[in-house]
């Protein structure tokens, strides 16, 4: 099922969709699938899988640490495609790859899209490719992958509309300026930013990410999004040694907050 259809199906039940971010190959190659299955069993609607990179500009210290650990184990793009194949055997949940331009360029853009799609991936986020470089970076044929673009608090109304027009699957709304992390301070300006962005997104569904670290965050922004993305909160728990069974329970708590 397409990403958009999954979100729409959840919304029709008067609920918000939940995406959980996991760094591929973290905490190690053998246990990664166990954590992915735990998130799925906890009720996540979409699984976002981060491609480890040495200079992840949009990621805060927690996700950077997980990426560094994965790189030390030599996690490769081929490993990641194998992970997705394993996940696909377990569940038909949509999977979205999140990675930076350099590893994709090195692998070969066309080859990457072909192999990612063949593995069972449904979407792709490349945060360091802005709207202006979209047509240059991505081939005309994305081989069935939804290319998901991001808005930020500094995005103008015109830019948000253009991102909505170009994006597929959903629009990733960055809640606050800066990098990822579960310790963000939300104020009235955050609410106004989310309300404004949500009102301008008409083609796609909108998911809020960056700083969604507790169920209360979901409840606070519930009316201004079609879903939420939780990353650093989960990654931090895994860094601290939390086992998959407990991660499943954590995901269930966030899923319950989604309605």
């Amino acid at each position: 099922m397409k990403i958009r259809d999954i979100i729409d199906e959840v919304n029709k039940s008067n609920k918000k969709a939940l995406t959980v971010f996991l760094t591929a190959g973290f905490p190690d190659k053998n246990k990664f699938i166990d954590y992915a299955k735990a998130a799925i069993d906890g009720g996540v609607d979409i699984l976002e899988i981060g491609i480890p990179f040495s200079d992840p500009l949009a990621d805060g210290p927690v996700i950077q640490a997980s990426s560094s650990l994965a790189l030390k184990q030599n996690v490769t793009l081929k490993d990641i495609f194998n992970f997705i194949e394993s996940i696909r055997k377990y569940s038909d949940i949509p999977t979205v790859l999140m990675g930076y331009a350099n590893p994709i360029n090195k692998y070969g853009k066309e080859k990457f899209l072909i192999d990612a799609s063949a593995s069972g991936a449904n979407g792709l986020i490349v945060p360091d490719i802005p709207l202006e470089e979209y047509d240059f970076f991505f081939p005309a044929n994305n081989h069935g992958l939804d290319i998901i673009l991001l808005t930020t608090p500094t995005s103008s109304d015109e830019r948000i509309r253009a991102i909505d027009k170009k994006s597929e699957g959903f629009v990733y709304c960055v809640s606050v300026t800066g990098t990822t992390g579960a310790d963000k301070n939300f104020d009235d300006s955050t609410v106004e930013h989310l309300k404004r962005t949500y009102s301008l997104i008409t083609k796609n569904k909108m998911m809020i990410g960056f700083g969604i670290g507790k169920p209360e965050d979901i409840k606070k922004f519930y009316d201004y999004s079609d879903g939420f993305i939780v990353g650093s909160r989960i990654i931090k728990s895994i860094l601290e040694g939390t086992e998959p069974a407990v991660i499943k329970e954590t995901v269930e708590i966030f899923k319950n907050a989604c309605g």
Side-chain angles (χ1 to χ4, degrees), residues 21-36 47-53 63 65-84 87 97-98 235 238-239:
F21 172 94
L22 296 174
T23 302
F26 168 78
D28 61 57
K29 289 184 181 182
N30 295 325
K31 293 197 73 173
F32 170 74
I33 292 298
D34 293 336
Y35 283 99
L47 196 60
E48 183 183 349
I49 299 173
I51 299 170
F53 182 51
I63 292 179
S66 68
S67 188
S68 177
L69 287 169
L71 287 173
K72 287 177 181 177
Q73 298 179 61
N74 298 313
V75 173
T76 66
L77 283 171
K78 289 184 179 179
D79 289 330
I80 295 169
F81 297 145
N82 288 335
F83 292 149
I84 296 174
I87 291 168
L97 285 166
M98 196 290 282
I235 298 296
I238 299 173
L239 277 168

Side-chain angles (χ1 to χ4, degrees), residues 119-176:
S119 74
N122 302 89
L124 174 64
I125 302 169
V126 187
D128 55 344
I129 296 298
L131 178 65
E132 291 79 7
E133 296 178 18
Y134 178 100
D135 291 326
F136 171 78
F137 185 82
F138 293 105
N141 181 1
N142 291 325
H143 298 279
L145 290 181
D146 287 336
I147 309 298
I148 297 157
L149 301 181
L150 298 87
T151 66
T152 72
T154 60
S155 299
S156 66
D157 290 6
E158 181 181 11
R159 187 174 185 82
I160 291 169
R161 291 189 183 100
I163 287 170
D164 181 31
K165 183 177 180 180
K166 185 70 73 173
S167 191
E168 297 289 343
F170 62 88
V171 170
Y172 190 130
C173 178
V174 175
S175 63
V176 291

Side-chain angles (χ1 to χ4, degrees), residues 33 36 40 47 49 83-91 95:
I33 292 298
I40 293 167
L47 196 60
I49 299 173
F83 292 149
I84 296 174
E85 289 177 359
S86 296
I87 291 168
R88 190 55 66 237
K89 292 174 183 176
Y90 187 74
S91 170
T95 55

Side-chain angles (χ1 to χ4, degrees), residues 17-22 44 46-48 63 172 182 207-215 217-218 227-235 250-251 254-255 258:
L18 177 65
T19 295
V20 162
F21 172 94
L22 296 174
V44 70
I46 300 165
L47 196 60
E48 183 183 349
I63 292 179
Y172 190 130
M207 303 277 284
I208 298 174
F210 282 51
I212 305 301
K214 50 188 181 296
D217 296 331
I218 291 175
F228 297 87
I229 301 165
V230 180
S232 294
R233 170 68 178 81
I234 302 296
I235 298 296
T250 302
V251 172
F254 279 98
K255 181 60 178 175
C258 287

